[in-house]
Amino acid sequence: MNTQEFPPGEAEHPDTRYMRQALGEAARALGRTSPNPPVGCLIVREGEVVGRGFHPQAGEPHAEVFALREAGERARGATAYVTLEPCSHFGRTPPCVGALIAAGVRRVVVAAEDPNPQVSGRGITELRAAGIEVEVGLLEAEATRQQAGFRSLVTRGRPHVVYKYAATLDGKVAARGEANGPVSGLEARARVMRWRNETDAIAVGAGTILTDDPLLTVRGVPGGRDPRPVIFDRRGRVPPEARALRAGGVLVTGPRTEAGAFEERGVTVVRAASLPDALRQLGALDLSTLLLEGGPTLASAFFEAGLIDEVRALIAPKLLGAGLGPLQGPERSMHAALNLHDVKVEPLGSDVLVSGWLST
């Protein structure tokens, strides 16, 4: 890794600053590129950004192509900052390595290598063979987190699963036996809409559908798009008229459940014998990220199966007393608790977001 650290108070290294901008470009396409990764690129010549781009969706040109188009002749002798190793093979589009070489860039800074066996290391090797200076690993952790869905799809064949829940200060997600209003405040709920906008699919269980009949859409996000709703209903309890099960939605059910009425409505039916099997089939549908918003029953099933990769907990300054916790399941000792890593704490209005990772 070629990075340079500075003492507190000193300016951030220009390479780091430009790579952060490239990551910002990639973030513009989150939730839109699957099964491809979100990638951003900056072309910088003599301290000036002369080109920038991101990969908007599968089948469209890659980030490097958009950035090189904007840079034009100014790309010659410039440095390209790319959040993922440039591809070296023909897929839906021509390889980006050839475009960078043809443009005459002098140096390429790569945040992270591509986990795809067709690419991994080959793009870097070809660039160096062409006489281009290549540095790898700048802001690698940030880049691999941003690409978590793509990397999960490539290496595990299933989506990256983010478990999101809102709870009171005493750990309750809902009261028992009565209508439940929102737990979180406006700022936290707005953040959830942003997460939905950046995610391929949103998952809930049959209980949530039968209790609330939610739409599972994005609201209040300019240019937002709705994730594909995925309903887990092993026993066939959800009615075909459920609002979330519109055309393009996915019903995950048991191997022998009758589901013809759903298919007639344009719903994709996934018949699975287990949760791991269901997630593999969702991966085959090119769903790389899954926002799990289900209740305690579904969340606990994911947890016990080891299928939660990331947790985002919105904690509200409320005390409820009796109520439902975010997880059920068998009791375990505190020594057996799973610890989150890379934990972040962020205030959101009167609420607090605690987020962290269970997978590497």
Side-chain angles (χ1 to χ4, degrees), residues 122 205 244 284:
R122 297 181 186 179

Side-chain angles (χ1 to χ4, degrees), residues 215-234:
L215 282 168
L216 304 181
T217 55
V218 171
R219 301 176 296 279
V221 178
R225 29 70 63 202
D226 296 332
R228 290 184 72 176
V230 178
I231 312 304
F232 285 82
D233 181 21
R234 182 170 54 87

Side-chain angles (χ1 to χ4, degrees), residues 27-65:
R28 296 172 64 184
L30 286 172
R32 291 152 173 80
T33 62
S34 188
N36 290 358
V39 180
C41 178
L42 241 66
I43 308 295
V44 180
R45 181 173 176 176
E46 297 177 353
E48 178 188 0
V49 177
V50 296
R52 62 178 70 230
F54 65 93
H55 177 49
Q57 63 182 33
E60 292 291 319
H62 292 182
E64 298 92 324
V65 173

